[in-house]
Amino acid sequence: MFKRTILALSAAALTITGVAQAQENATLTLRSGERVSGQLVDMGGSGFEVRVNGQGRQIATGDVSVIDFSGNTMSEADWAGAGNGQQVVLKNGTTVNGQLFDIGGTSPLRITVKTGSGDREFSSNEIARIILARPSGAAAPATSGLAAPTGNGISVSPRQQWTSTGLTVKKGEVLSFNTSGDVQLSGDAGDIAASAGSKRGTNSAAGPLRNALAGALIGRIGNGPAFAIGNQSTVPMPAAGQLFLGVNDDNLGDNQGEFRVDIQRTNTRR
């Protein structure tokens, strides 16, 4: 009887352990073009561990192009619009540039990304895909007269109104901004804006800041009013809450490019 009890407890422990190790469904696209679908278990020194049809498979980190949690496949247009560095694409459309550092936890997985403004953690159920590298035959990045962004700061897409920085600020706190890259505001290849705004000097009549140049980098705290950032190196925060960044434009669907914004806290209050 005692032996049977011990065996039963052991079996129960194994069952609990198996549940704790259950991970997230994902599809890994390899640089070779092969797609591997299964349960993503972990990311370790030897690469990614994936459970495919109940069998474990190790895939070297350098062999992986995309980790997809949404069940979709990147199109040629997606690849053409993607940058050259690693990036995390959230299900809400936000893109975060940074280096994938760790995957752990249980379902949902805990994803750690190193960005220019520090480590950021995401849950796998927030993420559509993680882009690590371009597979063979993927479309090249779109080229135009746009200045390419540099660094590993926050990617601000001109195709969505607001991008979360993940930063919570205090009223009066002064942040420093270092912004690179250009955005194109229409199908006209000459309709270019830097962080200060339109290089033609045009305003956005129906944008969030009607008296500011079109395409300028702007901010918002929570659901508060938009405020100008542009090419200013330091900006005092007008309110307390979560900081969002955006582009001062009213028609986002035909925009291209991106701003890359590195933000630092200055520990200064005005």
Side-chain angles (χ1 to χ4, degrees), residues 239-261:
Q242 187 174 10
L243 172 63
F244 294 82
L245 299 179
V247 171
N248 191 38
D249 192 23
D250 58 328
N251 183 12
L252 307 176
D254 57 356
N255 293 346
Q256 298 182 46
E258 67 173 316
F259 291 139
R260 195 77 56 81
V261 187

Side-chain angles (χ1 to χ4, degrees), residues 163-205:
T163 296
S164 173
T165 65
L167 297 177
T168 300
V169 301
K170 299 177 180 178
K171 183 177 181 178
E173 180 180 6
V174 178
L175 301 184
S176 68
F177 293 84
N178 183 9
T179 306
S180 63
D182 286 344
V183 297
Q184 183 174 317
L185 301 176
S186 67
D188 180 352
D191 192 7
I192 305 297
S195 61
S198 168
K199 295 183 179 182
R200 291 175 171 173
T202 58
N203 284 16
S204 179

